Amino acid sequence: MFKRLRADINAAKRNDPAARNKFEIWLTYSGVHALSWHRWANRLYRMHLKLLARITSQFAKFLTGIEIHPAAKIEGGVFIDHGAGVVIGETAEVKSGVVIYQGVTLGGTGKEKGKRHPTIERDVVISSGAKVLGGFTVGEGAKIGAGAVVLKEVPPHATVVGVPARVVRIRGEKPDLLQEKCDPNAEEIRALKSRLHKLEAALEKLTGEKFECTQEELFPVPLEENAPAPEAGEGEGTPAAKGETN
């Protein structure tokens, strides 16, 4: 337990430029405190004192604002920075060198049984507010952007962002992936247009009337903005042009 505590303190010193010394980290860092409480709760859980383990984890949550299920497997050398709102689920596994920022959830997607929380490999960085949901693996050295919602496996050394998260970099280079060639909004519009054509065909069979839209109906533009300027001599046939008066 003390070996893991030293590894946690060293990870905090290595990853936080604001950390001045190890004694300060041990006294004041809520992420280090939460992991220390989790080591004890995990031991109780493995001794089949599950109620006492859950009470311990909830007490640690009250003190630190970080909720870690007693059954979660967390190696030494993990750094939880700030930590407020971090949630780590029952079957989650977090390897050494991982950095977790505030608001991160390592959770599941529903009420499935078995392995339902992610495995986070070594040296992964999970940024603020990211949600990693499911029983898949986040590869070694990956980076997850702030606010990302990760729902599938992440390759090693990849950077993922967005909702749902997609790979934008692998080892610092932009990958030539099919996901980047597909625009989900365009795909949705294409599906809606296909559905609309089918509905129009069915309506034509029922009514015998053909439905067609003109360009103006599809893209209405105010006449003042679209009207061409009148050519010279265009107004000669009007009474004003001929100098007629009432």
Side-chain angles (χ1 to χ4, degrees):
M1 183 178 289
F2 289 105
K3 183 179 179 180
R4 289 185 175 183
L5 174 60
R6 284 196 297 270
D8 294 339
I9 293 173
N10 288 333
K13 184 73 169 65
R14 184 172 60 252
N15 289 287
D16 187 2
R20 294 183 295 178
N21 55 69
K22 295 180 180 180
F23 186 68
E24 180 185 60
I25 292 170
W26 178 61
L27 284 178
T28 63
Y29 276 51
S30 59
V32 173
H33 298 162
L35 290 171
S36 297
W37 279 105
H38 171 69
R39 313 285 185 216
W40 176 244
N42 182 254
R43 175 171 291 188
L44 293 173
Y45 195 89
R46 287 186 281 108
M47 292 169 61
H48 302 288
L49 301 173
K50 295 184 177 179
L51 177 59
L52 188 56
R54 290 305 300 268
I55 292 172
T56 301
S57 69
Q58 291 301 303
F59 180 67
K61 175 189 173 184
F62 173 76
L63 292 178
T64 65
I66 300 169
E67 182 173 357
I68 307 175
H69 193 282
K73 298 176 182 178
I74 303 177
E75 294 183 356
V78 172
F79 178 42
I80 302 177
D81 195 5
H82 302 294
V86 169
V87 178
I88 301 177
E90 178 183 7
T91 60
E93 299 178 39
V94 183
K95 303 295 179 67
S96 178
V98 172
V99 178
I100 299 173
Y101 288 92
Q102 66 271 19
V104 167
T105 299
L106 306 181
T109 56
K111 297 182 179 179
E112 64 272 15
K113 303 291 184 180
K115 174 67 172 166
R116 60 190 187 278
H117 301 101
T119 296
I120 312 298
E121 294 291 347
R122 293 174 58 88
D123 301 323
V124 172
V125 176
I126 309 178
S127 300
S128 306
K131 313 299 176 187
V132 187
L133 308 176
F136 51 82
T137 299
V138 177
E140 181 177 346
K143 294 180 175 62
I144 298 174
V149 178
V150 185
L151 300 174
K152 60 183 179 180
E153 190 162 328
V154 178
H157 305 286
T159 300
V160 298
V161 298
V163 181
R166 60 189 183 91
V167 177
V168 294
R169 292 285 187 277
I170 295 180
R171 296 185 184 274
E173 297 181 0
K174 190 171 182 179
D176 185 19
L177 298 177
L178 179 63
Q179 63 170 358
E180 297 204 12
K181 296 178 181 178
C182 297
D183 183 350
N185 293 327
E187 293 293 328
E188 184 71 20
I189 292 170
R190 194 174 294 113
L192 289 172
K193 287 177 68 176
S194 176
R195 178 66 175 167
L196 181 61
H197 291 325
K198 290 178 181 179
L199 290 172
E200 286 179 347
L203 196 58
E204 285 176 13
K205 287 182 181 179
L206 289 174
T207 63
E209 181 182 352
K210 191 170 183 179
F211 295 89
E212 292 183 350
C213 290
T214 65
Q215 189 77 3
E216 289 74 16
E217 289 174 325
L218 286 173
F219 305 102
V221 178
L223 184 61
E224 294 78 15
E225 296 180 9
N226 203 36
E231 297 179 2
E234 214 175 54
E236 292 177 358
T238 63
K242 295 179 180 179
E244 295 180 6
T245 57
N246 291 335

